[in-house]
Amino acid sequence: MGGWAQPGQTPPEGAWRIWLIRAGRGFGKTRAGAEWVNQIARRGDAQIALVGATARDVQQVMIEGPSGVVAVAPIGHVPRFVASTGEVTWPSGARAFVYAAETPDKLRGPEHDAAWCDELAKWRRGEATWDNLMMGMRRGSDPRVIVTTTPRPTALMKRVMAANGVVETRGRTRDNAYLAAAFVDHVEQTYGGTPLGRQELDGELIEDVEGALWTRAMIAQALAAPVSAAAVKRVVVGVDPPAGTADGRGGDACGIVAVVLTVDGSARVVEDASVAGLSPDGWAHAVAECAARHGADRVVAEANQGGEMVRSVLLAADVTLPVKLVRATHGKVARAEPVAALYERGLVSHARPFPQLEDELCGLMAGGGYEGPARSPDRADALVWAVTELLLRRQPKVAVHNL
């Protein structure tokens, strides 16, 4: 490969059977795949499978596209494509054949020593296509497959990621220095941080956990424009203090989430100001600063993890507004269930994407349990306390102690 390559676009070293490039749009996945195929084709006896969602996709993107095998081939090694036969031939004698995931049986029988699979996540009959392809990857001494795709949480995507002999390359749209800055700025501003943006721009595998209280669709539907100051009726900062060592370090994060009550009676999340690794004085000042930024009229803090310590550190940080300490007798998930119901009714929205908070919400399981990131859903719990204060103040089994 030549000097065009950026980090993550050159083949990995060592022994591997599948090279998975899981990256955002515009990262350069197609170019990397085409360059790799041309490199393999320098071997005169190479038999290569080109597999896409449809035969048209293979032709227009993988072969004849601006980053396809024809466009990126070096002088003297440009292949010839015959559309009527679906065959690509190189001057070396190497040949490649077009296959479509919508017709998986065409991969029964043929043998290949290399394959390029593009946009695996959009294959309609993906698992049958993949199985037939892999059963034919037995030609030559070292058959290999490159997969270039923007991820989606499909069964095949998860299988490939977990397969033996996989080496994975990750990449984001913004990593491609050759993209127009105006384009990158636009898509980042429009989609950055949203579930769609994290998938399509950052190459993250965003999926719902079966049985979770929140889904990605719920989060997407909850995204709304920032609320005007005139529409704000109240502002509450929810706090889930860290449960860690005696000095407050080395434990969980301190969840700090600001939520406003609008004049129409709905709640809008306006900031996730959560912090991690700070001393009690550090996270207490973060609470005070968040409250000041939004003109909060109350801080609601969970007191289960050392109520007197929470009381003292907030007072020491000069939190002059009213502070309510709440002690729950039920777990985080039980407290979250009525708040999730408010989301389903459209009564809670987000002023902008909050990726870490959203990941925690989507990890809270109905009936108990947590399958999200980190050890504990501290951000989600802070949100639950704030929304409960604003919309569910009569929720039972919560003991309240005002400072």
Side-chain angles (χ1 to χ4, degrees):
M1 302 212 175
W4 63 271
Q6 302 180 101
Q9 293 181 308
T10 54
E13 297 180 358
W16 53 269
R17 181 166 174 77
I18 302 168
W19 176 22
L20 169 61
I21 303 180
R22 177 163 64 99
R25 297 192 191 187
F27 169 74
K29 302 182 297 295
T30 304
R31 178 67 183 264
E35 291 278 1
W36 183 79
V37 166
N38 276 323
Q39 186 180 59
I40 296 295
R42 290 183 179 275
R43 292 165 28 198
D45 64 341
Q47 302 289 300
I48 305 165
L50 302 177
V51 192
T54 67
R56 186 178 181 85
D57 287 344
V58 177
Q59 177 177 345
Q60 293 189 338
V61 177
M62 302 170 71
I63 298 173
E64 298 180 333
S67 296
V69 293
V70 174
V72 307
I75 296 174
H77 193 62
V78 178
R80 176 173 176 265
F81 173 55
V82 179
S84 60
T85 62
E87 185 172 335
V88 183
T89 57
W90 280 263
S92 66
R95 297 190 299 166
F97 307 91
V98 173
Y99 298 99
E102 58 190 4
T103 54
D105 283 349
K106 290 188 176 180
L107 276 161
R108 287 182 175 272
E111 298 181 11
H112 305 94
D113 47 17
W116 173 20
C117 303
D118 190 49
E119 293 300 348
L120 183 94
K122 63 182 276 190
W123 290 7
R124 190 170 63 88
R125 301 180 65 187
E127 293 198 79
T129 301
W130 180 261
D131 288 339
N132 285 339
L133 171 68
M134 296 306 289
M135 289 180 183
M137 294 301 301
R138 57 182 185 269
R139 190 174 187 274
S141 61
D142 187 23
R144 293 185 172 189
V145 178
I146 181 174
V147 177
T148 54
T149 189
T150 299
R152 292 179 186 171
T154 65
L156 177 58
M157 190 80 236
K158 296 174 187 177
R159 278 184 57 193
V160 172
M161 290 172 62
N164 292 329
V166 171
V167 175
E168 186 175 13
T169 293
R170 295 284 307 280
R172 304 167 299 176
T173 299
R174 69 177 73 92
D175 294 336
N176 189 341
Y178 298 104
L179 290 177
F183 164 77
V184 176
D185 290 344
H186 171 72
V187 295
E188 287 286 352
Q189 183 178 14
T190 305
Y191 305 107
T194 66
L196 179 64
R198 293 172 64 188
Q199 174 179 282
E200 300 295 323
L201 303 181
D202 297 338
E204 292 187 39
L205 188 68
I206 304 296
E207 60 181 320
D208 288 324
V209 179
E210 186 175 355
L213 292 175
W214 277 263
T215 66
R216 300 292 173 180
M218 285 172 60
I219 296 295
Q221 292 172 358
L223 189 62
V227 63
S228 66
V232 175
K233 188 174 181 180
R234 288 192 62 197
V235 183
V236 167
V237 174
V239 181
D240 183 44
T245 59
D247 65 356
R249 298 180 187 272
D252 301 327
C254 178
I256 307 170
V257 176
V259 183
V260 304
L261 178 66
T262 63
V263 292
D264 66 1
S266 65
R268 189 160 303 176
V269 183
V270 293
E271 185 180 9
D272 174 11
S274 304
V275 294
L278 298 184
S279 66
D281 181 65
W283 60 254
H285 275 91
V287 172
E289 291 164 4
C290 178
R293 279 193 298 274
H294 299 284
D297 56 80
R298 175 162 292 184
V299 169
V300 179
E302 183 175 336
N304 286 45
Q305 301 294 338
E308 290 308 312
M309 184 271 286
V310 173
R311 180 197 305 270
S312 62
V313 296
L314 288 173
L315 289 176
D318 195 27
V319 179
T320 56
L321 69 161
V323 176
K324 176 185 286 188
L325 294 184
V326 288
R327 188 180 301 276
T329 58
H330 286 340
K332 295 177 185 289
V333 173
R335 296 195 301 273
E337 287 178 347
V339 175
L342 294 175
Y343 273 78
E344 290 184 310
R345 292 166 55 193
L347 293 176
V348 184
S349 59
H350 293 190
R352 60 183 177 82
F354 302 106
Q356 293 173 291
L357 170 61
E358 292 160 9
D359 285 348
E360 290 188 4
L361 291 173
C362 292
L364 289 165
M365 308 299 294
Y370 174 63
E371 296 185 16
R375 186 176 67 178
S376 178
D378 309 290
R379 300 166 190 269
D381 209 34
L383 176 144
V384 166
W385 284 124
V387 173
T388 297
E389 169 67 16
L390 292 173
L391 299 180
L392 299 168
R393 285 187 295 176
R394 291 188 176 88
Q395 184 178 3
K397 295 191 177 182
V398 175
V400 177
H401 307 279
N402 287 296
L403 290 183

